[in-house]
Amino acid sequence: MTQQQIQLKIESFLKYADKRLLDSFPLPGGRIRLFAANPVSYACNYAVITQWLDVDETIEAAEEEFLGREISPCRFYGAPDSVDLEQLRPAFVRHGYSVKVMNQLHMMALTRPACQVESADCQLYWKRQELSSQEQAFVLESANGAFALRHIQRELRRGGGKMLFAMQKNVLVAGLLYVEQGDTAMLSDEYTKLDYNNLELVQTMIAQAATLCQSEGKKLLFARVKGEKAFASYQTIGFEPIPTTPIWWAVKGKLPAWLAEQ
């Protein structure tokens, strides 16, 4: 596949996943995605401007919706189908928004056989059905908590997702979510703890997921990777960086500390 074909497959996958993942409400020139049980999460509550109609009206409508649901601050996200940030930036400035481009996030894709790595001392297993109480408790300990558990359970129920768990000394220590759609699959570590200081364990898990993907006849496995250690881990397996539009956030008022430091 060419890089352009890979980019189109990734964008199509993310658009579909975005619609399936969160509750959606229309805006004059876009949409809002919400998960009311986790109002403080940026990943769960955001607006997207998808049409260059009346941007000011769309921003004001989003602010009203967020205010009515007691979700603060209002925030906009650069989804794959968003209007380009540089077109939107003047409107965000007019309405008092701070903008942050997440340049440290990399899209990486595997389209060839995975490289062999030395296996870590752990027990790996795939979960394709409901999570056990132990597994649920482990997921709830992640930064995304209840939202992570809801998302994983939903993917498992619909049959398009699998969860790879790692155990050491009978204790759960890491997890990766594998979500498939057609001939494409996505790998995500954001729903459970994954310590990239333990490179051998991380690489073992990524390689296991890559092997599953290719055994199922998928043409593309991709991941959104953050940080140098994560980048190196995926690269070791054979993933290559794919040029994509950087992710960005526009936040009403000041950026929160966690986002400003990214």
Side-chain angles (χ1 to χ4, degrees):
M1 283 188 289
T2 65
Q3 281 204 342
Q4 184 178 20
Q5 289 173 323
I6 293 173
Q7 289 172 342
L8 290 174
K9 278 184 173 292
I10 290 174
E11 288 182 5
S12 175
F13 187 104
L14 292 175
K15 287 178 184 178
Y16 179 76
D18 180 50
K19 293 177 181 178
R20 188 183 67 245
L21 179 58
L22 301 170
D23 296 324
S24 178
F25 302 89
L27 292 173
R31 64 181 185 277
I32 285 181
R33 298 282 189 233
L34 295 173
F35 180 50
N38 193 2
V40 299
S41 172
Y42 279 55
C44 306
N45 303 278
Y46 58 85
V48 180
I49 299 176
T50 60
Q51 301 178 48
W52 188 254
L53 298 174
D54 190 330
V55 174
D56 293 285
E57 181 183 354
T58 303
I59 291 175
E60 290 165 5
E63 291 176 355
E64 184 178 346
E65 189 73 37
F66 272 70
L67 181 63
R69 296 175 180 274
E70 299 182 343
I71 298 174
S72 179
C74 184
R75 49 259 190 179
F76 287 81
Y77 171 62
D81 56 342
S82 170
V83 173
D84 182 73
L85 173 59
E86 293 314 309
Q87 289 181 276
L88 296 173
R89 194 184 291 272
F92 286 139
V93 171
R94 285 197 301 273
H95 289 270
Y97 282 74
S98 300
V99 176
K100 177 70 175 184
V101 179
M102 310 288 282
N103 289 314
Q104 83 286 7
L105 288 175
H106 304 279
M107 198 70 75
M108 302 188 73
L110 180 70
T111 59
R112 57 186 176 84
C115 300
Q116 297 296 315
V117 295
E118 185 174 348
S119 296
D121 182 17
C122 64
Q123 298 79 48
L124 299 180
Y125 68 94
W126 287 99
K127 197 62 181 280
R128 294 172 170 81
Q129 298 176 342
E130 293 290 319
L131 300 185
S132 68
S133 57
Q134 180 188 20
E135 293 159 350
Q136 290 183 37
F138 177 73
V139 172
L140 286 171
E141 292 176 359
S142 70
N144 289 305
F147 171 73
L149 181 58
R150 177 196 190 219
H151 177 45
I152 291 170
Q153 295 282 43
R154 178 181 289 184
E155 294 293 355
L156 295 180
R157 290 190 193 106
R158 78 177 186 86
K162 304 176 182 70
M163 196 71 192
L164 177 62
F165 285 107
M167 298 189 74
Q168 291 181 325
K169 297 180 180 179
N170 296 319
V171 176
L172 283 170
V173 293
L176 280 174
L177 178 62
Y178 173 99
V179 181
E180 57 189 314
Q181 177 191 325
D183 65 357
T184 304
M186 178 179 181
L187 196 58
S188 177
D189 67 354
E190 65 184 298
Y191 302 107
T192 62
K193 297 177 293 184
L194 195 63
D195 183 3
Y196 281 91
N197 290 314
N198 190 343
L199 293 180
E200 193 173 81
L201 173 62
V202 170
Q203 290 171 3
T204 297
M205 296 185 72
I206 297 171
Q208 176 78 3
T211 299
L212 171 68
C213 181
Q214 291 166 345
S215 70
E216 293 182 335
K218 305 295 182 190
K219 293 182 179 179
L220 172 66
L221 177 64
F222 74 95
R224 188 178 285 154
V225 178
K226 177 182 177 182
E228 294 181 3
K229 290 182 179 179
F231 185 92
S233 294
Y234 278 88
Q235 199 169 42
T236 298
I237 306 303
F239 283 75
E240 298 177 351
I242 301 298
T244 55
T245 303
I247 293 172
W248 54 265
W249 289 96
V251 181
K252 184 75 171 181
K254 293 183 179 181
L255 295 172
W258 69 267
L259 184 54
E261 294 168 0
Q262 296 293 317

